[in-house]
Amino acid sequence: MSLDGWNRVLVLGGIRSGKSQYAESLVADAATVRYVATAAGDDGAEWAARLAAHHARRPASWSTEETASDPRRLADVIATARADETLLVDDLGGWVTVLLDPAHQPADDTTTIEELVTAVRDCPARLVLVSPEVGLSLVPTTPLGRAFTDALGLVNRAVAEVCDTVLLVVAGQPCRLKPAATAPALHPAGAEVPAQTGPVGDVSVPASPSVTTPQARRASPAVATLPAGSVPVAADGPEIRPGMELPMPDLDAGPQALERLAGLDLPGRGFGVLEQVVSFAATTQGTSTPQPWESVRVLLLHGDHEGGSAAGTLPGDSARRAEQARSGQGVLARLAAESGVALQVIEAPTAAPIEHGPALTAEQVESALRYGWRLAEEAVDAGVQLLVLAACGAGTEAAAAAVLAATAGAEAPAVLARVINRGEYDDVAWMARCAAIRDAIQRCRGSAREAKDVLAQLGGGDIAVATGVLLGATARRTPVLLDGPVGMAAGLVSRDLAGQARHWCLLADHGGQPGIRLAADVLGLTPLAELNLDLGEGANALTVLPMLRSALTLAAALPARPDPADEGPQQTDEVPAEQVEPDSPEPDFREPEPQGPGPTSTSPASADHSGSRAG
């Protein structure tokens, strides 16, 4: 589906407005579609022609189901759809007509409508519904007409309430009604972007900071963005809780993409380990021919950790690096500009010393999770196709190691990388960090190990925001590129909130860090590169990104290997039979047999000589 990654879409429109054709275009990139026809049959030639025109537009891979025989069956079809399916319901006007048909009365219409709305709200599949918009016409003059418009208006309002997005098609032109399309302000690379005001660690969800984009951006090709999953929404944002049912990638598209790769016209043996990139892009884009990610955004999380977690860190160093990124300087900003990638610096709440007490309050955790979710949504709304998680806070490695110790049972010394201070190893600082993690784990022993508890006790603001980003990106079917401790720790926490999140993550490089290696094993992620890069979280991923784009570009653009049967007669080294000379007799190297008495020659000379002797 090509509409900003939404899951439940309601397409409204008047008669002959083009609403059905537009709805069909939203699911055109799906491998298979279940087309749910709701209207009752009619013997009239004009109605039959309309149905035939609709049917002729559908690809042969689509299947058709009819629900006109029982209005309640539509809710059953939607409720039982699988997460990997795509449904197109056309349309709710026909469904209301059948619902009001005297043949189906008496019936509790209100209950039937409520069942439909509940099924739409909880549907795990990708769902597009078409419905006539009746609110712009005159009030019908007949009781039956008024009953129809009243019922359809009620259905439209109730379904629109639970859909992710609602569009009104007028004269073939879609107009978005829900949500309002807004994009963050963009600034040229190198421009000063004012920092966000407000106290660090504020419980309320902060405003999103500005985005820094490079001046020279390449044109972005059309990339299919799949719709989102079903997420309960609270009054002040999504309700993030354990056991959320978020969408899975299209797991069939990956093997199909690899099968296609095997048939490409390549001079060598193929893509090697980069086949993993093509397979991942195929599953997250829902197509066997994935396109390279052109619209990419880096989210740089700046959140410090106080106490022993930050032992060996120079005072103010993390703030300096965040300011460098804002001004277009430093490793991360330069790599982003080189690759045409947008950069957004995020201020996360500062974490208290974990060896003495919780890093965050429960309210701060909720706020940080929702903030990260909203950052992902805003990025997708702006057309971003790939997110990269980066971090520059003090003590992030120790906080991530503490999360890994709590969620995977690891020992701090085994997963905490050595501390480098001014180019030299600082083992005293490393031991102080290990001690802080040990004390924190000891302090939390016996307490709950739920995801939000781990964030509050050990994780801190940057890992909480990163977790929200991963969940929000998963809900919007947008992949995330990871390469550092904060992103991997967020992956471990998000796994306990929504197991689907890890399937939308890609690990660029482990950087030689033992904690990232272990987290990758737990999450089932395989590093794309073994470069042992240590340029800072996020910078490692941007170093690898051009290679990933190149692999996807080749995979999408190269033609299939020609069929030998289509290339005509093959040239060989054989000589035509008529040009082959008769074989010359081979020499006889055998020894002559012993001669008996008398002449043995049969040559003419011998014959003549013997004859003369006889005469």
Side-chain angles (χ1 to χ4, degrees):
M1 185 183 297
S2 58
L3 184 65
D4 288 344
W6 295 97
N7 183 59
R8 297 175 301 278
V9 180
L10 175 62
V11 180
L12 300 169
I15 299 173
R16 298 295 190 182
S17 63
K19 60 183 182 297
S20 294
Q21 285 182 290
Y22 179 76
E24 292 165 7
S25 72
L26 293 179
V27 298
D29 57 353
T32 59
V33 176
R34 292 172 61 189
Y35 183 94
V36 184
T38 62
D42 194 302
D43 296 332
E46 185 270 340
W47 184 254
R50 284 174 177 258
L51 296 181
H54 276 251
H55 189 273
R57 291 200 304 261
R58 304 172 205 161
S61 61
W62 290 17
S63 62
T64 302
E65 297 187 35
E66 297 183 355
T67 62
S69 60
D70 181 8
R72 301 185 65 178
R73 185 169 178 269
L74 177 59
D76 295 336
V77 170
I78 296 175
T80 58
R82 301 189 308 273
D84 59 347
E85 289 186 305
T86 300
L87 270 64
L88 173 57
V89 178
D90 194 1
D91 64 7
L92 296 181
W95 180 77
V96 170
T97 300
V98 174
L99 181 65
L100 298 179
D101 192 321
H104 299 289
Q105 301 295 328
D108 190 345
D109 297 344
T110 302
T111 300
T112 305
I113 294 174
E114 290 176 352
E115 291 174 351
L116 174 65
V117 173
T118 300
V120 172
R121 183 193 62 203
D122 298 336
C123 179
R126 303 189 286 272
L127 176 63
V128 177
L129 304 108
V130 183
S131 185
E133 172 53 47
V134 296
L136 303 179
S137 62
L138 298 175
V139 177
T141 58
T142 63
L144 183 58
R146 288 192 294 272
F148 173 79
T149 56
D150 290 347
L152 183 57
L154 175 64
V155 170
N156 285 348
R157 293 197 306 272
V159 172
E161 184 67 26
V162 298
C163 280
D164 298 304
T165 191
V166 181
L167 299 112
L168 175 65
V169 178
V170 180
Q173 306 303 309
C175 306
R176 180 178 291 186
L177 306 179
K178 173 191 176 183
T182 57
L186 303 180
H187 298 268
E192 280 288 331
V193 181
Q196 300 304 298
T197 59
V200 177
D202 189 3
V203 174
S204 61
V205 178
S208 300
S210 301
V211 182
T212 303
T213 56
Q215 291 175 332
R217 292 294 303 276
R218 290 171 287 182
S220 299
V223 176
T225 306
L226 300 179
S230 177
V231 179
V233 178
D236 54 350
E239 182 185 346
I240 300 176
R241 52 178 173 75
M244 288 189 298
E245 290 294 332
L246 299 182
M248 283 285 290
D250 186 350
L251 300 182
D252 293 331
Q256 293 170 1
L258 295 181
E259 182 179 354
R260 180 180 174 276
L261 279 185
L264 294 183
D265 189 14
L266 293 169
R269 287 180 295 178
F271 286 77
V273 296
L274 292 182
E275 287 185 350
Q276 178 186 347
V277 180
V278 179
S279 176
F280 175 81
T283 61
T284 54
Q285 295 180 21
T287 174
S288 60
T289 312
Q291 301 295 317
W293 305 293
E294 293 294 344
S295 180
V296 181
R297 179 177 295 183
V298 178
L299 300 179
L300 175 60
L301 305 178
H302 175 225
D304 290 337
H305 298 258
E306 297 178 341
S309 298
T313 303
L314 298 177
D317 188 61
S318 65
R320 178 178 63 86
R321 297 196 181 278
E323 188 58 33
Q324 277 185 338
R326 287 193 182 94
S327 60
Q329 303 298 316
V331 175
L332 189 67
R334 293 184 183 277
L335 287 173
E338 180 69 22
S339 300
V341 172
L343 175 60
Q344 188 174 15
V345 182
I346 312 299
E347 292 293 338
T350 299
I354 58 175
E355 62 268 35
H356 302 314
L360 298 175
T361 65
E363 292 78 10
Q364 285 178 310
V365 170
E366 292 288 348
S367 175
L369 288 172
R370 292 198 185 108
Y371 184 32
W373 185 297
R374 196 183 74 197
L375 289 170
E377 286 192 326
E378 290 176 350
V380 177
D381 287 341
V384 171
Q385 302 156 357
L386 175 70
L387 287 170
V388 179
L389 273 180
C392 66
T396 56
E397 298 88 350
V403 171
L404 187 57
T407 56
E411 293 292 336
V415 296
L416 183 61
R418 295 179 68 183
V419 179
I420 299 179
N421 193 349
R422 299 181 183 273
E424 297 181 354
Y425 287 114
D426 188 344
D427 289 335
V428 174
W430 177 81
M431 289 187 289
R433 294 184 183 187
C434 288
I437 299 172
R438 178 202 62 200
D439 294 345
I441 296 297
Q442 179 66 29
R443 177 181 57 80
C444 297
R445 182 168 297 176
S447 61
R449 292 295 177 93
E450 297 290 338
K452 293 182 180 180
D453 297 320
V454 171
L455 290 175
Q457 295 293 335
L458 306 171
D462 51 358
I463 298 178
V465 173
T467 302
V469 169
L470 292 183
L471 296 173
T474 300
R476 297 294 297 272
R477 294 183 176 267
T478 302
V480 182
L481 188 58
L482 308 176
D483 76 340
V486 170
M488 297 303 290
L492 291 171
V493 177
S494 64
R495 177 194 59 170
D496 296 333
L497 293 170
Q500 303 85 359
R502 66 183 182 90
H503 295 279
W504 295 91
C505 296
L506 191 65
L507 178 59
D509 190 0
H510 55 62
Q513 298 192 34
I516 297 180
R517 290 178 184 269
L518 178 58
D521 290 340
V522 174
L523 294 174
L525 302 179
T526 302
L528 297 175
E530 297 281 347
L531 302 178
N532 287 338
L533 294 173
D534 193 10
L535 301 174
E537 185 163 1
N540 302 334
L542 291 186
T543 304
V544 177
L545 181 61
M547 179 175 61
L548 309 185
R549 282 171 161 171
S550 297
L552 293 175
T553 300
L554 284 177
L558 287 178
R561 186 184 302 112
D563 188 345
D566 298 334
E567 294 184 339
Q570 301 291 318
Q571 183 177 358
T572 67
D573 295 332
E574 297 181 359
V575 182
E578 60 271 13
Q579 297 182 14
V580 178
E581 297 182 359
D583 294 337
S584 301
E586 297 182 358
D588 190 356
F589 296 102
R590 294 176 299 176
E591 295 183 359
E593 296 180 1
Q595 301 294 324
T600 59
S601 174
T602 58
S603 67
S606 299
D608 293 344
H609 181 69
S610 61
S612 62
R613 217 176 28 245

